[in-house]
Amino acid sequence: MPQPSAPRKTLGRPPRISREEIVETARRIVTEGGVGRLTMRRLATEVGSTPMALYHHVRDKEELLVLLLDDYAARTLRRPELPAHPRERIVVAATAIHEALAACPWIVEVLTADDLMSTSALWFVEQIVDGLVECGLSLDGAVHGYRSIWYYTAGEIVVRTTAARRRADDDRATYREQVFADLDPAELPRLAQAADRWAPLTAEDTYRDGLRALVDGLLAGR
C-alpha cells in the first residue's frame, strides 16, 4: 500500500522579527565568538530569517554595532555621583567609562573604530569636557584633552584585554618573557634588573594613576 507523501513545506514570508531580538542575538554571537563572527548572514540564520529581512531593521553591520554599543551602555553605564571639584569629576567620569568597557570582552574590537560611539555615553563625555573647561582650558583645548583621555582609556583596555586573551589561549612562555630572560645587563641594565618582575608589574591595574597623571599634564600651568 503506498505511503502518503509527507506534506510539502510551503514557502512564504520569513517569521517576523524585532529589533530587540536582532540585538539580543547579535550580542550573544559577539560574546561567544567576537565581532569577527558577526555577519548579517549568520545573524539572519540565528534568528530564523533572511539577510534581506534584517535590513528592514538595521542598515548594515556598522549600524548593528552601534546598536550593540547603545544596548551595552544602557545596561551597564551608571552615572556616578560626581565630586564638586572639576578635576576630580574628570577622573570619576573617565574611570566609570573604563570600568564599564573593560568588563565587556568584545567591546575592544568595536573601539578601534573611533567614529562608532554610544549616545548613552555622551553624558560622561560632557562631564569630562566640562571639567576641563572649568579647569581653564578653552573648549577646543577641552575637546583635544578629552580625545587624549579617550585614546588612553581605549588603548589601555585593548592592550590589556588582548594580552589576557593571548595568555588564555596559549600557556607557553610569551615572546617577551623569552626575550627578557636573556637580556644583557651591560647593554640594558635597568630592564635586566626589572626583568623577573616585569610581567607582574605591567599586569597591575594602574589605570587611575595614569589617568591622574594625564589630566595633570593637560592642566599644567592652569
Side-chain angles (χ1 to χ4, degrees):
M1 182 176 180
Q3 298 295 319
S5 59
R8 297 178 62 184
K9 294 183 178 179
T10 58
L11 297 177
R13 294 181 178 180
R16 294 180 64 86
I17 53 177
S18 65
R19 176 172 284 201
E20 291 73 18
E21 183 181 4
I22 291 172
V23 172
E24 181 180 350
T25 304
R27 183 171 67 243
R28 176 174 56 78
I29 292 173
V30 298
T31 299
E32 294 174 354
V35 175
R37 297 294 182 90
L38 178 63
T39 66
M40 301 301 278
R41 183 176 298 278
R42 175 176 178 178
L43 180 58
T45 300
E46 295 274 347
V47 298
S49 187
T50 65
M52 187 60 64
L54 293 183
Y55 292 122
H56 291 294
H57 298 275
V58 291
R59 183 178 63 252
D60 50 27
K61 181 177 177 179
E62 183 169 288
E63 183 179 4
L64 180 58
L65 290 176
V66 172
L67 289 175
L68 284 175
L69 286 174
D70 272 333
D71 172 71
Y72 181 78
R75 290 185 297 106
T76 61
L77 271 178
R78 297 293 177 264
R79 296 183 180 185
E81 185 174 340
L82 296 175
H85 197 286
R87 185 187 298 253
E88 289 304 309
R89 291 208 305 270
I90 297 166
V91 172
V92 169
T95 300
I97 294 175
H98 177 268
E99 290 176 351
L101 297 183
C104 184
W106 59 264
I107 207 77
V108 297
E109 299 178 65
V110 182
L111 294 180
T112 55
D114 190 47
D115 60 331
L116 295 183
M117 63 173 8
S118 165
T119 55
S120 301
L122 291 181
W123 180 87
F124 297 83
V125 179
E126 169 72 17
Q127 307 314 311
I128 294 172
V129 172
D130 180 66
L132 291 169
V133 170
E134 286 199 30
C135 286
L137 296 185
S138 67
L139 181 58
D140 288 2
V143 172
H144 293 158
Y146 162 73
R147 182 183 60 185
S148 298
I149 292 171
W150 168 242
Y151 284 178
Y152 167 64
T153 300
E156 200 273 349
I157 295 173
V158 169
V159 171
R160 188 175 296 277
T161 304
T162 304
R165 183 182 302 153
R166 289 181 62 184
R167 287 193 295 270
D169 293 340
D170 191 346
D171 58 0
R172 295 175 299 177
T174 65
Y175 178 71
R176 185 185 66 187
E177 290 170 340
Q178 298 174 38
V179 170
F180 272 48
D182 296 323
L183 290 179
D184 182 359
E187 182 180 3
L188 304 168
R190 295 299 186 191
L191 294 185
Q193 186 179 13
D196 61 340
R197 305 193 310 281
W198 192 271
L201 284 174
T202 55
E204 292 179 3
D205 182 2
T206 58
Y207 170 77
R208 188 180 283 257
D209 292 338
L211 174 62
R212 288 188 180 280
L214 175 56
V215 172
D216 288 346
L218 291 171
L219 301 177
R222 301 290 173 177

